[in-house]
Amino acid sequence: MTGAVTSTIPHEGTRSGDLRAFLAMSRRAVVGFFRQPSNWVVGTAFPLLITAVSASAFSRSTSLQGFPDTDSFLQFLMAGTILQGTLFGSITASTDLALDIEKGFMDRLLASPVSRTVILISRLAGAAAFGAGLTVFYIVVFRLFGAKVEGGLGGMAVMVVLSTVMAIGVGGYGAAVGLRTGSAEAVGNSFPLIFILLFISSAFFPVETMSGTYQAMAQANPVSFVIDASRYQVLEGFSLAEAATGFAVAIGFAAIMIALALVQLRRRLEDHS
Amino acid sequence: MTIASSASTKTGRLALSERIPLVPVVRALVRRSLVAITRTPSALAPILLMPIFFMISFSGSYSAITRIPGFPTDNIYNWFVPYACVQGAAFSGIGVGFTTARDLENGFFDRLRLAPSGRPALIIGPLGISVIRASFPFVTVLPIGFLLGADFPGFGGLFMLAMVSAMVSGISGLWALGVVFRLQSQRSLGLVQIGIFSTLFLSIGQVPLSVMDGWLHGAARVNPTTNLLRMARQGFLEGVTWEMTWPGLIAGIAMLSLLGLFAITGFRKVEK
């Protein structure tokens, strides 16, 4: 019996053990996230509400000088709405890690023979799954209301990958805050920062129509690069070249945030040892 | 023992002569809330920082919409500064909802109910807090708005904005109390927020009716908040007129009355 139990325990340092642990904990993260409707219902519905209002309020702005070549404000909004929903949901998903800390489950995980990196990365699976699923869902909803992705399946694939990587990045940021503070409330309170990043970007209106300092800030905002890459697939057509900058920014952002979370995890372990 | 007090013992209710007058109780409740704010300044963040952020981000993102034919001003700050003040006033009601829900959950509200004070104080007190909280964004958003470039609306325009802010804080406070009294949980605040956000979104908050299309135009036209926003903005746009004022007054009084009834009937559920 002991042998049977021992054989199911993944051993730190072995690839198969880490992979099994990663898959098991990723599954737990995804199931745990979707089991609580409060985790994803608001994050899914709220951006759609804002889009419905904005599409009606700003429909005449498509004729403004500097606006991209489209007659549909809804189509213009698609990329911004997808990223907005993804970021909101990812922050919610990352509160689960803080909850694990609050409940003491994290301590048990850390005491187990599993790689620390695997523990952290697998926790981001909930955010990644949400980002990918939400992008597909929003593309379908927008299509039902007449806004389509000109880039076809290739363009949609680019959008899914971009939002998944961004979800991992924001999840990493939430994980870093959670590991630093050990409080789910603190992770939730970091939500306004995401809101600010989104608003001072090209998410809801083209940067070309803005002016002054605000325009400069929106242009320099990394979120704008990701949204513009995604928006190109919606408005113009499939282009990997146009998506490249967005990919580079999203992957860079995710890498920095995961590194930040790992630093916080190491710090937490040192504090507790 | 007086006749009055023996009668009150039998019925379980205090005679009027035995009750603490309304004003000192309301004043005490307001003071308690103000002390709580000084002890936890972070509670003020939503009503101070959010309206400032919305004012800056809306004005920055949507600065080009003033070029749409039919837009009533070429200065985007004249459009969004009063809206941010009204938003801040609306958020102050959410704060009152939080406080009351917490009191209900930890049992403090039951102790207030057992106190020898009139029941109206337990609604008017939080309402007073809401109105006072609404003044905070009014004095922070406006100076920043003027610095950014909003035109001075004249004292009449300022008075109209202050009056609408006070009414909106009362309206959102009564809405929050009505919901919280019924559900008696801090979780119910999500519903309060959705109600307030939806009411503001489905109005002329972002663009005037003349620029809207589709379903939003129909919704904003019948939304009483539209009249309140017209009243609040008039000093910043074309000057204060009675035509822009009376629909706002009627909308405000009607909403206060209806939501007052909503809060009172909710309070009766707490009593049961």
Side-chain angles (χ1 to χ4, degrees):
Chain A
M1 188 176 172
T2 313
V5 171
T6 311
S7 68
T8 61
I9 296 174
H11 296 278
E12 186 180 6
T14 65
R15 277 188 189 175
S16 61
D18 280 350
L19 182 65
R20 270 192 297 170
F22 173 75
L23 291 175
M25 286 193 290
S26 296
R27 186 175 174 279
R28 174 179 175 267
V30 174
V31 171
F33 178 74
F34 285 100
R35 192 178 278 160
Q36 295 281 342
S38 59
N39 280 345
W40 47 269
V41 168
V42 175
T44 306
F46 191 65
L48 286 178
L49 171 71
I50 294 180
T51 298
V53 171
S54 300
S56 199
F58 299 116
S59 58
R60 293 189 198 179
S61 57
T62 54
S63 59
L64 287 171
Q65 195 181 6
F67 207 92
D69 189 20
T70 176
D71 293 333
S72 166
F73 194 77
L74 189 65
Q75 195 181 23
F76 169 81
L77 272 181
M78 191 192 297
T81 305
I82 286 172
L83 198 68
Q84 184 190 11
T86 302
L87 300 192
F88 287 2
S90 310
I91 275 289
T92 310
S94 59
T95 57
D96 286 348
L97 184 134
L99 283 173
D100 279 351
I101 296 171
E102 283 182 2
K103 290 175 183 170
F105 185 72
M106 189 70 174
D107 291 335
R108 284 194 273 165
L109 279 179
L110 292 172
S112 67
V114 180
S115 155
R116 313 294 192 236
T117 313
V118 167
I119 291 173
L120 182 69
I121 303 292
S122 61
R123 218 33 190 119
L124 303 179
F130 179 75
L134 186 89
T135 306
V136 175
F137 174 68
Y138 275 6
I139 287 172
V140 172
V141 171
F142 272 76
R143 187 71 190 90
L144 289 174
F145 286 91
K148 66 172 185 174
V149 179
E150 299 292 349
L153 282 176
M156 290 180 209
V158 167
M159 293 167 76
V160 170
V161 174
L162 278 173
S163 43
T164 305
V165 177
M166 283 301 283
I168 292 170
V170 174
Y173 163 74
V177 175
L179 286 162
R180 174 87 189 176
T181 61
S183 157
E185 192 182 351
V187 179
N189 286 344
S190 62
F191 170 82
L193 184 68
I194 303 295
F195 215 62
I196 290 169
L197 270 177
L198 260 178
F199 256 100
I200 307 175
S201 75
S202 60
F204 304 112
F205 229 67
V207 173
E208 291 77 9
T209 63
M210 299 172 192
S211 58
T213 313
Y214 197 90
Q215 185 184 40
M217 285 163 64
Q219 262 169 344
N221 185 346
V223 171
S224 293
F225 290 97
V226 179
I227 289 173
D228 291 346
S230 185
R231 183 167 287 145
Y232 192 91
Q233 316 301 317
V234 178
L235 299 180
E236 305 292 338
F238 173 61
S239 166
L240 276 178
E242 289 292 331
T245 313
F247 279 132
V249 171
I251 290 168
F253 173 70
I256 291 169
M257 291 303 145
I258 289 171
L260 196 66
L262 284 170
V263 168
Q264 292 305 326
L265 179 62
R266 196 168 301 127
R267 191 186 139 274
R268 190 171 188 83
L269 287 169
E270 283 168 5
D271 288 350
H272 281 66
S273 61
Chain B
M1 188 183 280
T2 62
I3 295 170
S5 63
S6 58
S8 68
T9 312
K10 281 179 189 170
T11 59
R13 292 178 71 105
L14 289 171
L16 278 174
S17 59
E18 292 176 305
R19 290 184 193 170
I20 301 171
L22 190 72
V23 175
V25 178
V26 170
R27 203 187 299 142
L29 287 172
V30 170
R31 196 171 59 222
R32 171 176 173 258
S33 173
L34 291 176
V35 169
I37 287 173
T38 58
R39 284 183 186 155
T40 50
S42 60
L44 273 181
I47 57 172
L48 284 183
L49 300 182
M50 289 298 277
I52 292 171
F53 168 68
F54 276 127
M55 175 184 67
I56 293 172
S57 58
F58 281 6
S59 305
S61 290
Y62 303 132
S63 56
I65 61 173
T66 56
R67 300 205 303 261
I68 298 174
F71 205 88
T73 175
D74 57 358
N75 181 347
I76 194 69
Y77 295 106
N78 285 348
W79 186 254
F80 279 120
V81 167
Y83 181 50
C85 290
V86 173
Q87 263 185 333
F91 293 158
S92 69
I94 298 174
V96 168
F98 262 117
T99 311
T100 309
R102 200 172 51 231
D103 286 347
L104 279 161
E105 279 185 352
N106 65 23
F108 185 73
F109 201 82
D110 287 335
R111 284 195 270 168
L112 286 176
R113 284 199 306 117
L114 290 172
S117 61
R119 295 292 185 258
L122 300 184
I123 294 178
I124 296 171
L127 219 55
I129 298 160
S130 184
V131 174
I132 289 173
R133 280 176 172 228
S135 67
F136 297 150
F138 193 79
V139 295
T140 52
V141 171
L142 270 182
I144 294 174
F146 291 140
L147 279 175
L148 288 172
D151 296 326
F152 184 69
F155 290 106
L158 277 183
F159 178 69
M160 289 296 151
L161 180 57
M163 197 150 56
V164 172
S165 294
M167 282 196 288
V168 167
S169 67
I171 289 164
S172 67
L174 287 168
W175 160 245
L177 288 174
V179 172
V180 164
F181 284 152
R182 280 171 173 78
L183 302 177
Q184 298 182 32
S185 157
Q186 290 191 60
R187 287 183 181 170
S188 62
L189 269 303
L191 182 60
V192 173
Q193 286 171 325
I194 288 172
I196 290 173
F197 270 111
S198 305
T199 310
L200 287 171
F201 273 137
L202 304 180
S203 71
I204 57 165
Q206 291 175 309
V207 292
L209 277 179
S210 59
V211 171
M212 284 178 195
D213 281 324
W215 67 277
L216 183 63
H217 184 275
R221 204 167 55 82
V222 297
N223 183 349
T225 313
T226 291
N227 287 334
L228 285 167
L229 283 170
R230 278 189 186 133
M231 181 178 164
R233 276 179 175 141
Q234 57 181 320
F236 289 82
L237 301 177
E238 291 164 351
V240 177
T241 63
W242 178 240
E243 285 71 33
M244 283 287 171
T245 305
W246 71 261
L249 285 175
I250 289 179
I253 292 167
M255 288 171 87
L256 283 168
S257 307
L258 285 173
L259 290 169
L261 200 63
F262 180 62
I264 290 167
T265 50
F267 184 79
R268 287 191 184 138
K269 288 188 190 297
V270 177
E271 296 265 68
K272 284 177 185 171

